[in-house]
Amino acid sequence: AQSVTQLDSQVPVFEEAPVELRCNYSSSVSVYLFWYVQYPNQGLQLLLKYLSGSTLVKGINGFEAEFNKSQTSFHLRKPSVHISDTAEYFCAVSDGGDDKIIFGKGTRLHILP
Amino acid sequence: DAGVIQSPRHEVTEMGQEVTLRCKPISGHNSLFWYRQTMMRGLELLIYFNNNVPIDDSGMPEDRFSAKMPNASFSTLKIQPSEPRDSAVYFCASSWTSDLATQYFGPGTRLLVL
């Protein structure tokens, strides 16, 4: 069965600094990969997804992620964070064609003034 | 579009009581998912429906939990009897079958069982 590991439970970063949130998944022949964001007291919202094609995926709010098959990673990056990016970020995976999405435990991003 | 609608947003109940959580998916979506989120276990898939039919309920923790989808625009998740360990945030999400990769989440129901 697929699994996702988010290596950091919390990441503090200063405003306007770059950030990388790490995600590794268990290997499979064909995977779909996602990043979701959860703002305080809200449901999850899709940031970006990788299904196939270019390994660099751009999402909303200036975020991007890179699919690295050899390292089974799908790290999320933003070159300059804003206070409004304070949220919890979830990496998720599904087997290509499978209905189910498996979520990681989440990484809480703290933006420091 | 209104998005996924869940009710109630907050529920406080006593152990042993029946709890019913409700979800209205986005119009036109034909897949619906129920998740539970806790600090200890993170986000867990409980059950999902496709065209109102339960496809996978392997995540339902025990017989106290049941879910129904009587039509395309309504689903319920029932806990009977409730226990303190059921305290969590319960999310409903929906998607199109042609794009299962993108799920739209509701705001969640925060359940506290005393």
Side-chain angles (χ1 to χ4, degrees):
Chain A
Q2 281 286 0
S3 66
V4 173
T5 302
Q6 292 185 244
L7 298 166
D8 306 299
S9 60
Q10 297 191 64
V11 172
V13 62
F14 287 102
E15 197 169 11
E16 299 184 8
V19 68
E20 179 180 83
L21 306 183
R22 297 181 292 169
C23 172
N24 288 90
Y25 63 93
S26 57
S27 182
S28 179
V29 174
S30 172
V31 293
Y32 295 164
L33 292 157
F34 315 85
W35 277 97
Y36 279 80
V37 59
Q38 184 179 26
Y39 298 105
N41 300 314
Q42 295 186 27
L44 278 70
Q45 177 184 355
L46 182 67
L47 262 183
L48 50 80
K49 62 183 177 184
Y50 170 81
L51 304 182
S52 65
S54 173
T55 57
L56 183 63
V57 180
K58 293 188 183 298
I60 61 172
N61 300 339
F63 284 92
E64 65 181 31
E66 185 157 18
F67 170 59
N68 188 319
K69 189 173 183 178
S70 62
Q71 297 185 5
T72 61
S73 68
F74 190 57
H75 300 333
L76 181 71
R77 302 186 185 99
K78 187 170 182 178
S80 175
V81 296
H82 188 265
I83 195 74
S84 60
D85 294 322
T86 298
E88 189 154 18
Y89 293 79
F90 293 88
C91 182
V93 64
S94 72
D95 282 323
D98 193 359
D99 300 345
K100 293 164 60 171
I101 296 179
I102 307 301
F103 287 85
K105 290 289 181 70
T107 297
R108 197 171 294 274
L109 180 60
H110 295 281
I111 309 299
L112 307 171
Chain B
D1 203 334
V4 176
I5 299 172
Q6 291 187 247
S7 64
R9 292 293 311 275
H10 302 272
E11 177 82 31
V12 181
T13 190
E14 292 186 344
M15 183 174 63
Q17 297 297 305
E18 177 180 296
V19 175
T20 300
L21 312 181
R22 297 174 178 80
C23 175
K24 177 178 168 55
I26 292 173
S27 177
H29 283 189
N30 50 6
S31 290
L32 183 140
F33 305 80
W34 280 102
Y35 291 90
R36 177 172 67 177
Q37 185 179 37
T38 61
M39 289 291 291
M40 291 298 295
R41 300 173 68 90
L43 197 63
E44 305 171 275
L45 177 66
L46 300 177
I47 184 171
Y48 78 93
F49 296 84
N50 190 24
N51 291 323
N52 312 338
V53 176
I55 303 299
D56 185 343
D57 64 355
S58 59
M60 296 285 263
E62 48 197 275
D63 291 345
R64 298 185 296 107
F65 286 69
S66 63
K68 294 182 179 179
M69 192 164 186
N71 57 62
S73 59
F74 183 66
S75 176
T76 59
L77 177 68
K78 186 176 292 186
I79 309 172
Q80 166 64 16
S82 58
E83 297 182 2
R85 61 192 167 121
D86 302 330
S87 298
V89 182
Y90 291 82
F91 289 103
C92 175
S94 69
S95 69
W96 286 286
T97 302
S98 60
D99 186 16
L100 290 166
T102 303
Q103 295 183 14
Y104 295 81
F105 280 74
T109 295
R110 189 173 297 272
L111 173 65
L112 177 61
V113 183
L114 302 174

